[in-house]
Structures are given as structure tokens and as C-alpha cells.
Amino acid sequence: MNTVTTPLYTKRSELLARLAEPRLYDLAVIGGGATGLGVALDAAARGFSVVLVESHDFAKGTSSRATKLVHGGVRYLAQGNISLVREALHERTTLLNNAPHLAQPLPFVMPSYRYWETPFYGVGLKAYDVLAGKAGLGATEFLGRESTLRLLPTARKEGLKGGVKYWDGQFDDARLALALARTAAQRGALLVNYCSARDLVHEAGKVAGFTCEDRETGTTYTVRAKCVVNATGVWVDAFRQQDAAALGRPAKPIVAPSQGVHIVVDREFLPSDHALMVPKTADGRVLFAVPWLGKVILGTTDSPRQDLAREPLPFKEEVAFILSESARYLTRAPAPSDVRSIWVGLRPLVKPQDDDGDNTKSISREHTVIASASGLVTVTGGKWTTYRAMAEDVLQKCFTAGLLTERPSGVTRHLPLVGSPQQVVQHRISAPQGLHSYGSEASFIDGLPGADAALSEGLTEAMVRFAARYEYARTVEDVLARRSRMLFLDAAQAARLAPRVGEILREELGLDPQLEVFQALARQYLDVPL
């Protein structure tokens, strides 16, 4: 039985009062996505003083728009990137162990429509098992036609020869990011969302901190730190170039943004707890159909994109690709009218410095950590699964650059995140969201006002109040996009719930919950380009 403990309040006035204090932090992080939050947690867990600012909400960008897979990277194995796959497989298990209410094993089935596909892909996936070793989640199995249809009952029957079953993981990315933030705060880190880093502060040619602005009040603050980490994902080049300009030298961009589109449909299109995976579509990309929080996610694409929009729009050809490829593998093809939500994520791929091309499929998914002449540490690339290893690499760079005194690593390897339950988790992430999604904090939420007032399946008034009081939520979007995942699951339903969510937030926070802004965003998530 878990002991009910009171979580940390995230009262904004108190956070800003701490931010205003004149002090020198060991580490200051710009960016509240998976990477920045992972760095903040690792540093705080090692006993460093840490501050992190995020210009929008935590995980507002790429980190809430993943394909929801915790994986070693089957396609990276095909590319021969053994070291990346091995690291990711072991980090996969660590993540699943540290947040079992938010990250769990997920079986995949790769259907075969040619006789050679089952043995060909099966052998590769057996190698995947070998690389995982003791960190494996289950053995790869060769399936006959009937077994494949039993696990994927809506797979296209015509021409089906069999399949291969293998294991990876899935997770709730935005809530995992929030768990990282709250766990870092428990360890003493100061984290402030809706606070934009503006200008780096240089002293004697070295980065000594930055100025930032509270986006709600316009108040500016100066943060001073021994080490500043630029963890802004696809936006890292902006601070790199600002840093280089202060030193009177150029900085060549290192990020090649890639866009991935995801389409959400009802579970009737794949009524299974197994995901469908196509390793090579008509144009060589990978297609997934993943059961997630009561719906099915279809994706993803990999298209170069030059602009860095906060809410990127899907390209018409990407949507057509996903729907047409899905039709090749499902008995009933999803139509535009079946789409419950459509959303886009930008991936910060690190391009070789001698490559100005646009073929993002060939660019490495490994992360890069660099320190400039001024001491600005930048991290980008990588993927959610390896966020913890990336954080360790960032701190190691801080040590080798002489910015911080080295302290032993590995402190987060067995560090349970906020909400991690002690007992075995009974609910699967493929099931609809609900009180179980909060892990060990479920009992606490059940004691808040509105626990019996359901707004929809899996969302109560108490959950909205919890988001405002303990989870840094400031707007309707924060609640319905990232504390609840309703916007990503059913945008029309999210729009219907928004007014009441706004009323509760106004009661709790006494500010404009930005209802109209959210309603416009919900319409965007419903807009299927044809």
C-alpha cells in the first residue's frame, strides 16, 4: 500500500520570488523539454543547485508530440548503428522501471505479405533481442497467419502469410516530462514555465547567465550560473548564434528540423493491445499503428522543414501518405472523417557540418553535446528513450569543460519519478486515461474537491485542480493537451470540455485561462488537409 504524501505546491508567485533572489546557481538550463528536464533532474539529484526556465509550457514542443514509443530503434539496427540501439534498449528498461505508471512494455506485430518477410525481419529482431540481453522485454516470435490475425484482428487478410511479434515500450510523453520536472523540484531545482530566456550574459568572454522574462507579467530577471545549458531542441541554434555573435565569430547551424505527422483514430480500426509496425512502406519509411490511451495513433512521416513553428501544420501529402499506407494493411481504411486529432512534431536532427541537404531520413538520430569557446553547453538531437543518458553526457561535458566540479554519475538510474507506484501496475497505457495514470498520487487526487465530478471519461474536476496546484498548469491548453491528453486524442471532445476547465482554472489561479486560444488550437487539430 502506498503512503499518501502531499505533493509540492507550484504556486507561481513563490517560484518567481525564488527566481528574483540574487544568487549564483551551479547550473542554469534553458528549455523545458525532455532533454532540459532530464539535465535538471540529474544535476539536482547530484546535489547541484539548479534553475530551469521554459518559454512556454513544459513539453509544449517536440517532447509532447512523440510517437509515444520507448524503443531501441529497430530501423537504426538496420542502418548498422549498433551502439545507438544498445544504449537505447538499456535506457528503455530503466525508463520503464522508474515510471511504470507512465511507461510500459508494448508488443508489436509486423505482418508479412511476402514469404521472405517473416524470416528476414525475424532474424533482425532476434538480433534486437540479443542486443537487449537482460534488458529485454520479451522474446521475438515467428507467427503464422492465424496467430497474426488473432493479435491484429483488423489486419488485411488478403495475401497475409504470417508475421513477427517483438517487444518495445510505450509511454505518455507529456506526463513523463511533467514527472521529470516535479521530481527535479523535489530535489531542490527551481523550474519556471512561461518564462522566456532572452539574452545570454557574458562576462570576460564567458557565459555567466542569462536574462529572462515572465510572460504573464513582463517582469524581467537575471539568472547567474557557473554553467548554462542550451537545451531548446530544434531552437538551439538561436542561442548558439547569439553566443557566437557576442564573441565576434560565426556559428553554423547544427539542426536539420524534420517533421513527423500523427493521425489519431478510434480503437475500432485496431482493437488490440498490440501495435502494428510496417518496417518499410512504399517510399522506405516506417509506419506504426499504436494503441494509446483508448485510441490508435497512425504515423509517422519524416519530412524536412525549414521553419520552426510552435504549432506546425501537417502537409497535405503527409496525411495522404499515412491514410493510403494504412489502407494497405487494415481491413477498413481510415478516412479523413474518421480522424479525431492530427498533430505534428518537429525533430531536432543533428546534421553533419558538411551537409546542407534535405534528406532527413539519412541523418543520425544520435544526440550531440558541444561547449562553445564561451562555455555555453548545447545539447540537441537524440530521442525521448535516451533522455537520461543524454543528461549524463551533458553533465560530463560541463565537467570536462571545467565549468563544474565532477560528481559521480548514475544517480538517476534507479530513481523513481513522482507518482511511481510500489505495487504492480494493473492498467495498460493502451487503455483510456484515468485516475490510474497518476500512480501513487491517485489517492491524494481522490481527496480533492471535485473528485466525483467527471468532466468526461478519465478527467474529473479534481484532476484539473491538481494540475493547477501541483503540476504547473496555467492555461486550458496546459490541462487538456499535456496534463490530460484529450487534445491529442479527441480534439472535438477537448473543445467541448474547455469552457468548464477554464472556469476551474480561473477559480484556482485567478487569471485568464486563454479559452479562445485553446478553441482555435482545437480547430487546428481537427483540420485534415485534403
Side-chain angles (χ1 to χ4, degrees):
M1 188 74 177
N2 285 321
T3 301
V4 178
T5 56
T6 302
L8 289 176
Y9 252 110
T10 56
K11 193 171 183 179
R12 191 170 184 82
S13 60
E14 296 176 2
L15 298 178
L16 293 175
R18 288 175 60 189
L19 190 65
E21 294 173 359
R23 65 174 297 185
L24 177 66
Y25 288 91
D26 293 320
L27 188 74
V29 182
I30 305 174
T35 306
L37 294 170
V39 171
L41 174 56
D42 195 322
R46 296 196 209 194
F48 290 110
S49 58
V50 179
V51 59
L52 179 149
V53 297
E54 162 56 43
S55 61
H56 294 73
D57 187 25
F58 301 126
K60 158 72 175 176
T62 306
S63 297
S64 62
R65 302 156 192 269
T67 312
K68 319 308 178 194
L69 303 181
V70 184
H71 63 107
V74 172
R75 63 172 168 169
Y76 311 146
L77 182 63
Q79 294 169 0
N81 199 333
I82 303 300
S83 60
L84 177 63
V85 175
R86 182 182 288 113
E87 176 185 65
L89 285 168
H90 286 79
E91 287 300 320
R92 176 190 69 179
T93 301
T94 298
L95 198 163
L96 267 57
N97 288 338
N98 288 341
H101 59 308
L102 298 173
Q104 298 168 3
L106 175 70
F108 286 72
V109 174
M110 193 181 293
S112 302
Y113 290 89
R114 297 186 180 101
Y115 284 109
W116 59 267
E117 288 179 324
T118 295
F120 178 79
Y121 290 118
V123 168
L125 289 166
K126 286 289 186 181
Y128 200 56
D129 294 348
V130 172
L131 283 175
K134 294 180 180 179
L137 304 177
T140 293
E141 302 174 41
F142 294 84
L143 304 175
R145 184 178 187 276
E146 295 307 315
S147 297
T148 301
L149 288 173
R150 186 172 66 252
L151 301 180
L152 299 178
T154 52
R156 181 170 60 85
K157 298 178 177 62
E158 295 79 15
L160 181 66
K161 311 301 181 187
V164 183
K165 176 181 175 179
Y166 73 100
W167 289 83
D168 252 325
Q170 70 173 160
F171 73 137
D172 185 334
D173 50 1
R175 290 206 60 80
L176 184 66
L178 197 61
L180 291 176
R182 297 178 62 216
T183 308
Q186 282 187 343
R187 295 294 175 127
L190 170 61
L191 300 100
V192 187
N193 56 352
Y194 293 102
C195 187
S196 301
R198 296 298 188 194
D199 298 304
L200 297 173
V201 174
H202 289 82
E203 294 178 358
K206 297 294 181 182
V207 171
F210 53 80
T211 61
C212 55
E213 178 183 346
D214 173 23
R215 294 185 58 200
E216 293 184 3
T217 64
T219 304
T220 58
Y221 303 86
T222 298
V223 173
R224 296 180 55 81
K226 299 174 184 176
C227 180
V228 175
V229 174
N230 173 20
T232 52
V234 293
W235 296 277
V236 293
D237 284 325
F239 283 106
R240 289 184 61 248
Q241 289 164 352
Q242 185 188 124
D243 176 51
L247 301 179
R249 60 180 68 181
K252 189 174 182 181
I254 61 173
V255 170
S258 172
Q259 172 166 298
V261 174
H262 305 79
I263 292 174
V264 177
V265 296
D266 290 333
R267 279 294 289 273
E268 65 190 60
F269 288 94
L270 185 66
S272 172
D273 287 328
H274 290 67
L276 183 153
M277 191 267 204
V278 178
K280 194 172 184 179
T281 59
D283 70 349
R285 289 183 281 193
V286 176
L287 178 73
F288 292 102
V290 180
W292 186 69
L293 299 181
K295 299 289 185 180
V296 173
I297 298 174
L298 303 174
T300 180
T301 54
D302 193 351
S303 306
R305 182 156 191 155
Q306 300 308 314
D307 66 307
L308 298 175
R310 285 285 171 179
E311 285 290 348
L313 296 171
F315 300 136
K316 181 170 65 174
E317 56 270 24
E318 292 178 305
V319 175
F321 166 79
I322 292 174
L323 294 178
S324 63
E325 285 297 310
S326 299
R328 295 179 59 196
Y329 295 96
L330 298 174
T331 52
R332 180 184 160 205
S337 59
D338 296 310
V339 175
R340 297 290 174 255
S341 185
I342 182 167
W343 35 275
V344 180
L346 297 180
R347 304 180 182 115
L349 306 184
V350 182
K351 63 180 179 181
Q353 291 301 283
D354 59 351
D355 178 21
D356 294 319
D358 286 332
N359 182 14
T360 58
K361 292 191 290 294
S362 66
I363 297 178
S364 172
R365 267 56 177 173
E366 292 185 85
H367 62 275
T368 292
V369 185
I370 55 178
S372 72
S374 71
L376 177 67
V377 176
T378 294
V379 54
T380 194
K383 58 181 180 176
W384 243 118
T385 307
T386 56
Y387 84 88
R388 197 196 67 83
M390 291 169 65
E392 290 193 337
D393 288 349
V394 169
L395 287 177
Q396 188 58 48
K397 178 64 73 173
C398 297
F399 302 149
T400 57
L403 302 169
L404 294 174
T405 302
E406 187 163 357
R407 296 180 185 177
S409 64
V411 295
T412 58
R413 189 171 294 120
H414 303 292
L415 177 61
L417 301 183
V418 164
S420 179
Q422 297 174 354
Q423 72 271 24
V424 176
V425 175
Q426 301 296 327
H427 293 85
R428 296 186 62 84
I429 292 175
S430 56
Q433 205 172 359
L435 194 60
H436 57 273
S437 305
Y438 294 82
S440 63
E441 294 185 309
S443 298
F444 180 86
I445 295 168
D446 223 15
L448 293 178
D452 296 328
L455 301 178
S456 69
E457 181 183 12
L459 181 65
T460 65
E461 292 189 1
M463 293 175 187
V464 179
R465 298 187 190 281
F466 184 77
R469 297 178 189 182
Y470 304 105
E471 295 186 319
Y472 298 91
R474 307 297 294 170
T475 70
V476 172
E477 181 191 335
D478 295 346
V479 174
L480 290 177
R482 289 172 291 276
R483 278 69 180 170
S484 163
R485 306 312 308 278
M486 186 62 70
L487 177 66
F488 286 77
L489 295 166
D490 189 332
Q493 172 77 334
R496 289 190 289 270
L497 300 179
R500 179 55 185 148
V501 170
E503 290 173 0
I504 298 170
L505 288 178
R506 197 180 293 274
E507 291 173 17
E508 291 287 332
L509 304 173
L511 49 71
D512 177 9
Q514 299 181 35
L515 175 60
E516 294 78 11
V517 173
F518 178 77
Q519 296 287 27
L521 185 62
R523 288 192 292 273
Q524 177 181 317
Y525 278 52
L526 279 171
D527 186 17
V528 182
L530 300 174

